[in-house]
Amino acid sequence: MTDTQKPAFRRVMLKISGEALMGDTAFGLHPPTVERIAREVKSVHDLGVEICMVIGGGNIFRGLSGSAQGMERTTADYMGMLATVMNALAMQSALEELGVFTRVISAIPMDQVCEPYIRRRAVRHLEKKRVCIFAAGTGNPYFTTDTAATLRANEMSCEAIFKGTKVDGVYDKDPKKFDDAKRYSTITYDEVLQKHLGVMDASAIALARDNSLPIIVFSLDEPGGFRGILAGEGTSTRVHG
């Protein structure tokens, strides 16, 4: 995209997994990877696009795996929400090192480290060109960060959700295991649900469908991928009605 071109979207939600922040490590945060993703976000922010973010917590703690090991599900989910706050603070630090003003907004109040979620205040931050990172999911157990991203995207009037993953779109089966895996260039919400494609969980897909919010799945590992997809370049899958 040249500097004179206008991006296709004015306000977007970027959803990434906590695992995306691990780099090649087994768990936790890999600072060079966090910085690389922050540079991707900055490159889009520099175009004038208003950016919301939701980051998962799976690199630190995943509620479902905790409950599978015998932990009470509600407690495990709250621990997962706290992990997302840690990731959000790390991303905020990386973005502000690059000169991008950022606010971490938590669904669970913890005023010493971040803001509580107030919709009108969050919208005002976006209007002032601050990146808003929504942490702690929806604030409720049994809901994933995919659902939280879709909920916040609707509340913030985002025009699309960009789901950054390890692969360059939605496939009919795992492309890392099957050489004949087929990538969809576009696919409907209903097809994603019927074929159990695992783009996002069913609640998130249904919420996006009910509000006609497109989901664009792309590879976050591709340098310049986020900016490129916004310009209509590169490889991705668009989930729509």
Side-chain angles (χ1 to χ4, degrees), residues 38-107:
R39 289 189 182 280
E40 293 277 327
V41 173
K42 181 181 187 299
S43 72
V44 171
H45 183 266
D46 288 346
L47 298 172
V49 178
E50 297 170 5
I51 303 172
C52 306
M53 292 182 71
V54 168
I55 307 171
N59 57 319
I60 299 171
F61 189 87
R62 185 180 293 279
L64 272 174
S65 61
S67 64
Q69 295 170 21
M71 187 176 292
E72 194 269 323
R73 172 67 188 272
T74 302
T75 299
D77 278 356
Y78 278 122
M79 291 173 68
M81 290 179 217
L82 296 177
T84 71
V85 177
M86 296 171 70
N87 285 338
L89 291 172
M91 183 58 64
Q92 178 186 42
S93 177
L95 283 167
E96 294 199 332
E97 279 290 315
L98 298 173
V100 179
F101 292 110
T102 308
R103 295 292 185 271
V104 173
I105 301 170
S106 172

Side-chain angles (χ1 to χ4, degrees), residues 170 184 186-215 237-241:
V170 180
Y184 300 97
T186 65
I187 191 169
T188 67
Y189 306 111
D190 289 337
E191 286 177 307
V192 169
L193 293 171
Q194 289 162 8
K195 296 178 181 179
H196 304 286
L197 292 177
V199 177
M200 288 180 157
D201 67 82
S203 298
I205 293 293
L207 186 58
R209 179 191 61 193
D210 293 347
N211 293 277
S212 301
L213 182 67
I215 303 166
T237 299
R238 184 184 182 101
V239 184
H240 59 91

